[in-house]
Every structure is written in structure tokens, then in C-alpha cells.
């Protein structure tokens, strides 16, 4: 194993480096089945975070993980499954996409993978957006199943239909009351051997 | 926690840096998110432990980028305007690898940086140093078959920030990397060798393991330097690698 390059904060000045035109338009306006996902990022004091950057990565409604290039310069037809949106002065973000489906054979309920970057965040955070209508799949989801009701709620998009069509709200609380569930998906987390295989001589 | 505290002195922050450096380091070399010397972490680091869960099939894959996404000129930050930017022209090159040493091929590398005076082209940058009309400071490249990337740019200046009194960032280039799995995502900063500000900077020092700190510093490489034109730096980047291959579907 090579030693990893450590993470550093995205800082406050990423605006001309990372966001790109149409970064939140995973599908064009008017696409059948399009949904909007929006929300507010807040810090431990409940104050809006105006300099966060969120990335979303997802399957399409066919349950396939996209393999087509073109997320930065979209051709308007291919579903690339990737969005990158900075928060605005009010800490709000918004994207337009399609509902994800679970890949066949997957134990996971339909979800979007999310990465949170911000000034003051030395290492990005992973979380997920789930959708409340998938009652059975959500009940069987390995992550959701290990959370209590309150924590689980932080990963659920809340339907709030608006003038632009079906919409969902997904707020992110970086710390404190209602803190979003953030994930350890790393090898380090998984490297801990399951208890059953750790045999200690009696 | 009050938002209107007096700014700390460098001496006080340096004492906090020393205290944090004495604590056990993380095995992966990454910073702890709650790192007192960097004041903005106070309200932006989770208090709950991260929830350990296996990556989903989505998270074991990553967005794909291609020729449509990145133009060749995107990797030469000195050619984004009509004139040449001021400053010391440099070449920064290296390889992106996963933890098992495999090259990360045809994947997106993005950079952004201050100009030679230490000023960002950003409304939030209050540093009274000149903007350079010939320098924006953002670039993109795709890695090649060996995972290699290459940027032409100018050496960024150090700049002050308001973490504490007389706080200065060492010169750095911000880097954003993708692997073949979303779990390999990395945003980091590349530094230049021998910077006198390393010991004073809470962001650099948030990586408390000295060996891991060295992995953030590019090496001057005379073989990369081009005669009469630009100095060369080499910097390899290693992403988390354990989930680069999806699980064996036929396995037990
Ligand atoms: Fe910076």
C-alpha cells in the first residue's frame, strides 16, 4: 500500500476553479420526470454556509451507473449522473436531475451519493440522499437500518412540490442539533475485522 | 462559542499547533476535522462519529470525464488571456495513483490558485495586492495512460488570511482529484519546498504526521525544468485505493 496524500480544505476561493456553468443541470429543463433537489447548508450555530460546494453522483432511473463522459460540458442528451453546485449567499443550493434507481441486485435503496466541501472543513464529508417513497427498499437498506429514526431523517429528502415541478428539500447540518449523518466509506473503516472472525485464544 | 472573539496571536496558535501535533496521528494521514488552530473548523466539523458503512455500487464508481470536458489549453494557465501573466513561470507535473500503486487513468484533475502577488480573482479576497489582468488561476487536465497530469502556470504568492493576527498561507496550489470510485474523491493543496511559513500555518499543520506533511510538498525537478522558459516541479498524488475494484459478484 502506498501512503495516501492527505486532504486539505477547499478554502473560500474555489469559485473560479471548481463550479462550472450548468453544474446543477444534470438534465435540461423540461426533461420528462425531472425533479429539483434543493436545500440549505448550515453550520453548528445554525448559520447558513455561503461557501460550501456540494457534489452529487447517482444512477439514473434505469438503475445503471453512468459511464458516459460529458458532465462538465453536457450534450443535453446523455445522463452523466454528476452535479456540482456551490451554495449561494443564503447557503442554498439547487439542482435538476432524475430520480435514481437501485442497480439490480443491490442491497441499497435508491440514493444519491453526496460530497460536502467547505472552507473550515479540512476533509470532505460523504453523505447520501434517500427518498421517502421507497418504503420497503429503505427498510432493507444496510445504512438506514442501523440508524435510529431521528438520525435516519437527516438522510431523507422531503417532498415539497413547487412551481417547477416535483421538488425535494435536502438540508445539510454540518454540526450540532439535527447533524446530518456523515459516512465513513473508507478502507480504514472497513478494515476492522468482523467480530466473528477475530479469534482470541482462550 | 462566540463569533466575536479577539483574534489570537501567532504565539497562541503555534502553541495549539504544538499541542495537536503531540496527539496520536490518524493512520490514513488525513487531518482531524475538528482542529482548533484553524478557527473555521469550530462550527463546521461534525460532533457525531462518522457512520461506518460499506460503499454502495454508486459510490464504488465515479463520474467519467473525457475530451469533451477538458480542452488542451485548460491545463496552461498562462494562456487564458491575451497577455502573459506576471510571475515565475512553472510546470507542475506528476502522477495520480491509487493506494495499490495503480495509475488513475483518464481522470479529471482540477487546480486553482492565487496569482504571483498572492491575490485570488474572487470577490471575497480582501488582500490589498494587485490582480493580474492576464491571470485567472483555474485549470483542468485529464490524466494520461500512466496517470500523468501536467500544468503550466505561475508560482502563486503567499497571502494573509484572518485566522489569527499576522496569519499567512504558504504558497500553494489547490488540487481536486477523482479516482475510479467516488470514495476516492480528494481535494488537497500542493506546497513548494522549503517554505518558511510551514511551521506557522494551521492548514498545513492540520496534517500532524510529519511524513504525511511531506507528501503535500512538491519536489523541484531539474529534468522537468525547461531551458530559458520555466522551472519544473513534480508532485505525485495517491488516492485511497481499497475499493477500486467492485466486489466479486459470484463470491460468497
Ligand atoms: Fe488558497
Amino acid at each position: 500500500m502506498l501512503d495516501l496524500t492527505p486532504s486539505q480544505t477547499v478554502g473560500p476561493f474555489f469559485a473560479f476553479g471548481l463550479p462550472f456553468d450548468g453544474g446543477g443541470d444534470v438534465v435540461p429543463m423540461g426533461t420528462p420526470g425531472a425533479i429539483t433537489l434543493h436545500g440549505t447548508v448550515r453550520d453548528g450555530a445554525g448559520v447558513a454556509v455561503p461557501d460550501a460546494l456540494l457534489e452529487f453522483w447517482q444512477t439514473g432511473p434505469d438503475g445503471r451507473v453512468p459511464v458516459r463522459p460529458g458532465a462538465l460540458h453536457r450534450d443535453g442528451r446523455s445522463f452523466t449522473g454528476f452535479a456540482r453546485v456551490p451554495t449561494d449567499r443564503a447557503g442554498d443550493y439547487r439542482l435538476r436531475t432524475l430520480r435514481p434507481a437501485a442497480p439490480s441486485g443491490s442491497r441499497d435503496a435508491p440514493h444519491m451519493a453526496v460530497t460536502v466541501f467547505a472552507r473550515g472543513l479540512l476533509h470532505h464529508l460523504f453523505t447520501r440522499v434517500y427518498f421517502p417513497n421507497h418504503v420497503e427498499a429503505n427498510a432493507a437498506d444496510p445504512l438506514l437500518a442501523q440508524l435510529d429514526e431521528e438520525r435516519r431523517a437527516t438522510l431523507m429528502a422531503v417532498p415539497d412540490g413547487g412551481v417547477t415541478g416535483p421538488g425535494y428539500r435536502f438540508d445539510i447540518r454540518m454540526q450540532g442539533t439535527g447533524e446530518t449523518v456523515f459516512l465513513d466509506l473508507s478502507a480504514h473503516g472497513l478494515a476492522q475485522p468482523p467480530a466473528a472472525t477475530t479469534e482470541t485464544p482462550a | 462559542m462566540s463569533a466575536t472573539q479577539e483574534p489570537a496571536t501567532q504565539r497562541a496558535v503555534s502553541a495549539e499547533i504544538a499541542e495537536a501535533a503531540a496527539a496520536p496521528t490518524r493512520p490514513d494521514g488525513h487531518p482531524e476535522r475538528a482542529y482548533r488552530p484553524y478557527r473555521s473548523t469550530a462550527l463546521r466539523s461534525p460532533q457525531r462519529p462518522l457512520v461506518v458503512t460499506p460503499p454502495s455500487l454508486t459510490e464504488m464508481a465515479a463520474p467519467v470525464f473525457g475530451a469533451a470536458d477538458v480542452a488542451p489549453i485548460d491545463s496552461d494557465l498562462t494562456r487564458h488571456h491575451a497577455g502573459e501573466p506576471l510571475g515565475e513561470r512553472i510546470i507542475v507535473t506528476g502522477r495520480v495513483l491509487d493506494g495499490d500503486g495503480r495509475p488513475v487513468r483518464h481522470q479529471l484533475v482540477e487546480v486553482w490558485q492565487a496569482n504571483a502577488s498572492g491575490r485570488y480573482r474572487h470577490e471575497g479576497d480582501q488582500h490589498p495586492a494587485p490582480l493580474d489582468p492576464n491571470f485567472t488561476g483555474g485549470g483542468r487536465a485529464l490524466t494520461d495512460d500512466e496517470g500523468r497530469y501536467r500544468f503550466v502556470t505561475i508560482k502563486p504568492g503567499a497571502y494573509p488570511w484572518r485566522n489569527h493576527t499576522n496569519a499567512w498561507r504558504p504558497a500553494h496550489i489547490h488540487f481536486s482529484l477523482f479516482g475510479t470510485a467516488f470514495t476516492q474523491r480528494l481535494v488537497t493543496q500542493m506546497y513548494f519546498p522549503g517554505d518558511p511559513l510551514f511551521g506557522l500555518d494551521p492548514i498545513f499543520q492540520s496534517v500532524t504526521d510529519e511524513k504525511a506533511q511531506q507528501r503535500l510538498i512538491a519536489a523541484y525537478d531539474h529534468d522537468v525544468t525547461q531551458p530559458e522558459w520555466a522551472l519544473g516541479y513534480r508532485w505525485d498524488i495517491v488516492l485511497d485505493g481499497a475499493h477500486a475494484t467492485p466486489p466479486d459478484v459470484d463470491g460468497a
Side-chain angles (χ1 to χ4, degrees), chain A residues 1-20 42-45 48-51 55-59 65-74 80 82 84 89 103-106 108 111 113-115 117-128 142-143 146-148 150-151 174-177 179 181-190 192, chain B residues 26-33 35 38 40-59 61-66 68-70 97-101 108 110-113 120-125 136-140 159 169 174 176 178 182-189 191 203-204 206-207 212-213 215-216 235-243:
Chain A
M1 277 292 283
L2 299 180
D3 291 321
L4 309 183
T5 304
S7 171
Q8 295 269 269
T9 179
V10 76
F13 301 132
F14 54 78
F16 58 85
L18 293 178
F20 54 95
R42 293 184 190 282
D43 70 11
V49 174
D51 47 11
E55 289 181 348
F56 296 81
W57 168 238
Q58 60 167 108
T59 54
V65 179
V67 291
R68 279 172 180 265
L72 295 185
H73 290 279
R74 306 186 200 279
T80 61
F82 177 70
R84 178 186 280 168
R89 285 194 178 87
S104 66
S106 170
D108 303 301
H111 65 278
V114 185
T115 317
F117 302 95
R119 175 179 66 83
L121 189 57
L122 283 160
H123 191 185
H124 62 256
L125 290 164
F126 288 122
T127 185
R128 289 181 191 166
L143 169 61
Q146 63 169 305
L147 302 173
D148 65 34
E150 190 192 335
R151 300 231 73 206
M174 297 179 75
Q175 183 191 84
T177 314
E179 183 175 298
V181 168
F182 296 110
L183 307 176
D184 181 352
L185 304 167
S186 72
H188 176 61
L190 289 176
Q192 295 159 1
Chain B
R26 285 168 53 118
D28 59 11
H30 290 305
E32 293 290 351
R33 293 181 181 83
Y35 182 71
Y38 178 18
S40 303
T41 67
L43 290 171
R44 294 183 170 195
S45 47
Q47 288 164 337
R48 304 268 205 143
L50 302 187
V51 175
V52 178
T53 193
S56 64
L57 291 174
T58 302
E59 289 153 345
V64 176
F65 300 93
D69 294 303
V70 182
L97 304 167
D98 70 19
D100 299 318
L108 183 66
E110 296 166 285
V111 295
W112 67 104
Q113 63 168 90
Y120 281 94
R121 189 175 285 274
H122 187 284
E123 59 181 34
D125 188 347
T136 301
R140 292 193 165 99
Y159 61 85
R169 296 295 332 279
H174 295 266
S176 164
F178 289 85
F182 205 60
T183 53
Q184 293 177 285
R185 192 79 179 83
L186 180 71
V187 165
T188 186
Q189 302 180 24
Y191 298 86
I203 293 180
F204 180 82
S206 69
V207 175
Q213 285 179 356
R215 300 200 290 273
L216 293 174
W235 191 52
D236 291 339
I237 300 154
V238 181
L239 309 178
D240 195 350
H243 298 297

